[in-house]
Structures are given as C-alpha cells and as structure tokens.
Amino acid sequence: MYLTESDVKQIFAILAAHFPGVTVFVETLTPIIAKAVKEKSIEGSQARFTWGVKNGKSLAALLPDFALVEEHSLVEGMEIIAPVYRVIGKIPFVRNLSNRIVVLAGEGTVK
C-alpha cells in the first residue's frame, strides 16, 4: 500500500531469486481505499498509500514467480474484537473493500 506496483514487482522478483519456495504474507488495500483514505496513524511520517490491488488473485497475477495460497479479509479478524463484524463481514461490499492478508508461495529458483 505504501509502494508502487513497480516496487512490489521488484521486491517479489528479488524474493523469488534469492529465496526459492518462500511464503510471503502481505497486507493489501483495494485501489479505492488506497486512493481515498488518509491514514491518521502515519500522517506524521509523511507516508501515504499509493497503490492497491483488488484481491490476492489480482496480486498473484502480477507476480509470475508466486502463486496465491489463500487470503483473508481483515473483517474476519475484527469479529473477535467487535462481534458486529460477524454481520458487517457478510456484506460483500464491506468484505471486498477491507484490507486483506494475502499469502503467496514462491515458485522461483536461486539465480
């Protein structure tokens, strides 16, 4: 979310080249949220959200050396903190806009 698409591709290419079979957990934002939301917790650092992907499948499609293992909407985890998320999380629009934890498995070899 803080990197550009090009940066993400470059980082994953380095991971694939140096760590074959690596498993990577990534937090992602949807493009709509990346563009529209200013995160108060990072305002002082001058960091900003710059890029997002629709879902884990979209991210994996950009990364030829990685395969999607699974993904989870952060709404799922919020159910433990606030039970109302059990209801909110069933609304596709909310679930699809939520941050996601995407798990990707590397298929690359050492170069």
Side-chain angles (χ1 to χ4, degrees):
M1 63 189 77
Y2 301 103
L3 304 172
T4 65
E5 179 178 340
S6 176
D7 292 336
V8 170
K9 288 178 177 180
Q10 183 178 9
I11 289 168
F12 275 87
I14 292 167
L15 289 170
H18 296 283
F19 303 99
V22 68
T23 298
V24 182
F25 291 70
V26 182
E27 181 181 6
T28 64
L29 285 177
T30 63
I32 293 168
I33 298 298
K35 290 177 185 174
V37 173
K38 289 185 97 173
E39 178 59 47
K40 292 184 188 269
S41 67
I42 62 169
E43 281 181 355
S45 71
Q46 303 302 315
R48 63 184 180 88
F49 297 151
T50 58
W51 182 72
V53 291
K54 182 178 177 184
N55 53 36
K57 185 176 179 180
S58 297
L59 179 59
L62 297 171
L63 308 170
D65 296 319
F66 286 84
L68 176 64
V69 175
E70 62 184 306
E71 69 179 309
H72 298 277
S73 168
L74 289 186
V75 171
E76 294 173 39
M78 292 300 293
E79 294 174 358
I80 296 167
I81 297 168
V84 70
Y85 280 96
R86 285 190 189 110
V87 176
I88 293 171
K90 293 186 188 311
I91 302 168
F93 177 77
V94 172
R95 190 176 55 249
N96 292 337
L97 281 182
S98 174
N99 292 28
R100 296 183 168 291
I101 299 298
V102 177
V103 182
L104 300 163
E107 300 170 341
T109 58
V110 177
K111 295 179 182 176

